Amino acid sequence: MLTSTQNPLVKQIKKLQNAKERRETQLFLLEGTHLIQEACAVNYPLETVCCTPQWQERHPELWSIVNDTSRVELVSDEVIRSIATTMNPDGIVAIAPRMALPKPAIPANLTIALSTIQDPGNLGTIIRTTAAVGADGLWVSRDSVDLDNPKVLRASAGQWFRLAMAVSDDLHALVTSYQQQGVQVISTTSHTTTSYWDVDLRSPTLILLGNEGAGLSADLVALAKLQVKIPMSATVESLNVATAAALMLYEVRRQRS
């Protein structure tokens, strides 16, 4: 059993908390029983699994699955705490290889594209909501937080493995390609009197949302043929982007139900 936080494997895993290390090694972290379950459910490969003996005893069925991983290490509670990014890890952390995820289709019935999203909790929540409404996929701009940031994975509640997602190097060109395929593009703005429930969202739609603070750039807003507002109290300046995404996505679902 590994008990030293100075072990080379432990040091390697801790480095994966850093985005640069994840890019260079093409590996990322999975933390917690639920994420490991979801990865196994879709046969996403695991490279290394570290768990405590107590976790092994509590989860015999999942243990029998992860035990087939190429490297499995029983570790102390101290080691788990040192390699996890959460305050109270539940006893298991794994390393997985970065793999090419299925890209969202062009065209598609419902897709969301995100520009310069910085908060991993927001991105993970949007992934979870996008999957919940049955959307076809999600795009993020290259300057957004990494899709495999540990907080993104946790906030997605496992839906990370079930949604087509990709990074776009040129969101402007991407949006244009959807439009050329007959997909309507909708964005939110405060400079309109049209509420988001007042437009017809029954045809193929791309929802375009921007940075938590600055919103969408002017050139991206200009691409959207449908520009809508989410009505708010006069004392509220803006909504959290994950909340805005949920409102827009569920309005599409409501209109199509």
Side-chain angles (χ1 to χ4, degrees):
M1 183 169 73
L2 297 182
T3 59
S4 172
T5 57
Q6 300 306 308
N7 181 277
L9 175 63
V10 175
K11 289 182 177 180
Q12 178 196 3
I13 295 174
K14 288 178 69 174
K15 287 181 180 179
L16 293 176
Q17 296 176 12
N18 180 272
K20 182 174 181 287
E21 186 72 17
R22 293 194 298 272
R23 286 192 293 270
E24 290 179 352
T25 61
Q26 290 298 293
L27 299 169
F28 65 97
L29 290 175
L30 294 176
E31 300 180 49
T33 303
H34 183 61
L35 274 180
I36 303 296
Q37 285 175 327
E38 292 296 327
C40 292
V42 297
N43 296 316
Y44 198 98
L46 305 178
E47 185 168 293
T48 303
V49 173
C50 295
C51 67
T52 63
Q54 295 88 347
W55 184 92
Q56 179 190 22
E57 292 174 4
R58 291 196 306 268
H59 303 280
E61 291 185 12
L62 188 54
W63 165 253
S64 68
I65 297 173
V66 301
N67 197 32
D68 288 334
T69 304
S70 58
R71 183 171 183 180
V72 179
E73 298 284 354
L74 291 178
V75 301
S76 65
D77 289 337
E78 182 183 6
V79 167
I80 279 290
R81 287 193 296 269
S82 74
I83 61 179
T85 62
T86 52
M87 292 295 293
N88 298 296
D90 74 354
I92 186 167
V93 173
I95 298 175
R98 276 187 167 184
M99 295 174 61
L101 297 171
K103 289 186 176 182
I106 303 175
N109 285 324
L110 177 59
T111 314
I112 189 165
L114 307 170
S115 175
T116 324
I117 301 299
Q118 299 300 309
D119 185 274
N122 281 340
L123 179 53
T125 300
I126 294 170
I127 290 170
R128 184 179 184 179
T129 307
T130 304
V133 300
D136 298 292
L138 173 147
W139 292 91
V140 293
S141 62
R142 177 67 65 182
D143 57 356
S144 293
V145 63
D146 286 347
L147 280 171
D148 55 19
N149 180 293
K151 292 182 180 178
V152 171
L153 283 148
R154 289 201 307 275
S156 78
Q159 295 308 310
W160 191 93
F161 297 102
R162 301 178 184 278
L163 183 68
M165 298 182 294
V167 176
S168 172
D169 290 313
D170 187 343
L171 210 56
H172 191 285
L174 175 74
V175 172
T176 300
S177 67
Y178 272 91
Q179 289 176 317
Q180 290 171 345
Q181 294 294 320
V183 176
Q184 65 177 359
V185 177
I186 183 170
S187 70
T188 57
T189 177
S190 58
H191 307 298
T192 182
T193 58
T194 305
S195 296
Y196 70 99
W197 55 67
D198 289 329
V199 296
D200 188 347
L201 300 173
R202 291 172 294 178
S203 60
T205 300
L206 174 71
I207 297 171
L208 184 58
L209 296 175
N211 176 276
E212 292 90 347
L216 284 169
S217 63
D219 64 319
L220 286 174
V221 171
L223 280 179
K225 299 303 181 185
L226 296 175
Q227 297 181 14
V228 299
K229 69 175 182 178
I230 298 175
M232 293 177 287
S233 167
T235 59
V236 178
E237 182 179 343
S238 64
L239 278 179
N240 174 283
V241 66
T243 302
L247 289 169
M248 298 288 289
L249 287 163
Y250 271 96
E251 177 60 18
V252 175
R253 180 164 181 170
R254 183 192 71 81
Q255 290 191 19
R256 295 180 182 182
S257 62

